[in-house]
Amino acid sequence: MTTERSTPRLLARARRFTARRVRVGVRRMRRSVIPALQMTVAGVGAYTIAERVLGHDDPLFAAIAALIALGFTKEPRMRKVLEVSVGCTLGILIGDLLLHQLGSNLGTATLVLFLSIMLARFLDSGPVLAMQMGLQALLVVLIPPPEAAALGPFTRSLDAIIGGAVAMAITLLTPKDPRREPIAELKSVVDAMTLSLRDVAEAVRNSDSRQAWHSLIRCRGLQPQIDELRSAVNSAKELTVFSPAYRKHRHYVRHMAEVADQVDLAVRSMRVVARRIISTVDHASLSDEAVENLAAILDEFAECSLLLSQAVAEPGSAYTRRMETAQEALSALAQRLHPKSLGIGTLEGETVVLLLRTLVVDLLQAAGSSHEDAREQLPEL
């Protein structure tokens, strides 16, 4: 009987698991269309140029270098593409030199493979590039060099240069708005911080420290998103520097980098606020009046954070206007951050207010205020 009941349950669980994996896989495929097209064009284009234009026979390493240099990322970074292109070319050149001098044998193969892996580790901390360049080194050793070509055994090094150049050209010329990725990442981080502020407001209002824990966990989980945000901003900055078509956006992207730095600080401040509120709620350190006032202030923080989220999502003329609106709301909020005006008299409650003063300064700077102007908005203690 137990087996009969468990079998349908296992089948239902398997169906849910399969459906979930299919949904995730389809979503991942949709997001990967552009990078997949870039890699396809890079590999086929580099091979075609080396074969049809330069007359190289089977220029496999042109395609390999292009694919490794471009990689599989949402937004290829110019410096990374350049570094990997040079690394691939040097790896093939070292392999060709060692094969030319030492001949094709087990010792040469071992040395070429080791040097290629070490070069990959120098270029990148991730394991993927080391594996790719290791496979490339094995192909250098296993595939006989084209002696009859114009450059002899070093034709493959020229093929690698072609592959890297094609990857660089695709990175520069692929139509994309350099602002899109930083805006999406920044808005995602600010929206998560808004939810965390709402959680801590409810935690204070309901004397439920578990909600504050949820807020703290959410803020701690934002670090990978913040890292993605920094990567997206750096990629956009490189594109606006090297690509003439997007140079007009360089001032906006530079400003987005400053906003991202301040949002990072605000998230760190939010973690400290959430931790302190957990302790404050657990020790019942606030009067009823203080609870209501502090919860209302936290709700206002969430509204201001929402205004900031709406502002960063507007790359056009409305950006400045929305930022000014967020700045005005944060200034009005900052002027109320004094323990006495909130009816708070306990040490733990006062500590929360002091931490909120730090948070509002971070948010004001994210909205465009200078540090001095943000500090001046706070009442004297």
Side-chain angles (χ1 to χ4, degrees):
M1 181 67 74
T2 304
T3 305
E4 291 177 357
R5 290 179 178 176
S6 61
T7 301
R9 195 158 46 240
L10 289 173
L11 290 174
R13 189 180 302 170
R15 282 195 298 270
R16 288 195 299 270
F17 175 79
T18 304
R20 184 168 60 250
R21 291 302 299 267
V22 169
R23 286 196 301 270
V24 171
V26 170
R27 193 181 308 125
R28 192 162 52 237
M29 285 173 58
R30 288 174 179 168
R31 294 175 180 173
S32 303
V33 170
I34 298 301
L37 285 174
Q38 288 177 322
M39 294 181 70
T40 302
V41 171
V44 175
Y47 188 95
T48 302
I49 290 171
E51 182 185 46
R52 302 289 175 84
V53 178
L54 301 180
H56 295 176
D57 293 328
D58 299 325
L60 180 63
F61 287 92
I64 291 175
L67 292 174
I68 293 177
L70 196 58
F72 196 90
T73 56
K74 291 184 291 186
E75 296 288 344
R77 288 187 59 185
M78 188 65 56
R79 188 179 66 182
K80 181 60 66 179
V81 171
L82 180 60
E83 286 178 353
V84 176
S85 299
V86 172
C88 287
T89 303
L90 286 176
I92 293 174
L93 180 60
I94 290 170
D96 285 337
L97 282 171
L98 291 174
L99 284 173
H100 185 67
Q101 295 295 325
L102 304 178
S104 180
N105 54 61
L106 184 60
T108 305
T110 303
L111 185 58
V112 169
L113 182 57
F114 176 75
L115 290 176
S116 296
I117 292 173
M118 293 304 294
L119 180 60
R121 296 304 296 167
F122 174 78
L123 292 172
D124 191 89
S125 61
V128 176
L129 183 62
M131 180 185 69
Q132 290 173 331
M133 290 189 67
L135 291 173
Q136 173 188 266
L138 284 177
L139 291 174
V140 169
V141 174
L142 294 174
I143 298 176
E147 299 288 349
L151 296 179
F154 301 105
T155 302
R156 297 186 294 193
S157 300
L158 178 58
D159 289 341
I161 293 174
I162 294 169
V166 170
M168 288 284 291
I170 289 175
T171 303
L172 277 172
L173 301 177
T174 301
K176 55 180 173 288
D177 188 342
R179 303 168 297 174
R180 178 176 57 84
E181 199 66 31
I183 287 173
E185 296 292 347
L186 184 54
K187 188 175 187 307
S188 175
V189 171
V190 177
D191 285 346
M193 187 169 63
T194 302
L195 289 175
S196 295
L197 286 162
R198 296 195 190 284
D199 279 344
V200 292
E202 287 300 309
V204 171
R205 186 173 288 112
N206 300 328
S207 298
D208 185 358
S209 62
R210 288 177 299 177
Q211 284 186 286
W213 271 111
H214 293 160
S215 171
L216 178 58
I217 291 169
R218 181 182 287 112
C219 287
R220 285 175 175 172
L222 281 177
Q223 194 56 50
Q225 285 182 255
I226 292 173
D227 295 339
E228 285 287 330
L229 168 60
R230 291 188 180 279
S231 177
V233 168
N234 289 334
S235 177
K237 286 168 69 174
E238 290 176 358
L239 193 58
T240 56
V241 168
F242 292 107
S243 178
Y246 304 116
R247 200 160 291 166
K248 62 184 177 181
H249 299 311
R250 64 186 184 279
H251 297 300
Y252 177 82
V253 171
R254 193 179 304 125
H255 183 63
M256 290 294 289
E258 296 170 359
V259 175
D261 288 340
Q262 293 303 320
V263 167
D264 184 11
L265 291 176
V267 170
R268 295 173 190 271
S269 297
M270 184 62 211
R271 292 172 191 160
V272 182
V273 169
R275 281 199 298 268
R276 178 51 57 187
I277 285 179
I278 291 169
S279 174
T280 302
V281 171
D282 282 340
H283 292 94
S285 303
L286 300 175
S287 65
D288 291 343
E289 178 190 5
V291 165
E292 288 302 319
N293 290 337
L294 183 58
I297 281 288
L298 289 167
D299 280 332
E300 289 186 38
F301 263 99
E303 292 301 320
C304 291
S305 180
L306 182 60
L307 290 174
L308 189 61
S309 172
Q310 293 169 348
V312 299
E314 292 279 357
S317 58
Y319 173 81
T320 303
R321 186 174 67 254
R322 286 187 177 274
M323 275 295 190
E324 288 175 354
T325 301
Q327 201 175 119
E328 291 171 2
L330 285 163
S331 296
L333 176 60
Q335 292 164 16
R336 297 172 54 202
L337 290 178
H338 192 289
K340 289 184 178 179
S341 64
L342 297 176
I344 295 174
T346 61
L347 179 60
E348 288 200 359
E350 290 176 350
T351 304
V352 171
V353 176
L354 292 176
L355 293 173
L356 288 174
R357 288 164 68 96
T358 302
L359 177 60
V360 81
V361 169
D362 293 334
L363 291 174
L364 274 167
Q365 289 184 255
S369 295
S370 67
H371 182 71
E372 291 74 18
D373 289 342
R375 289 280 301 274
E376 287 178 1
Q377 303 302 318
L378 296 169
E380 292 290 334
L381 294 174

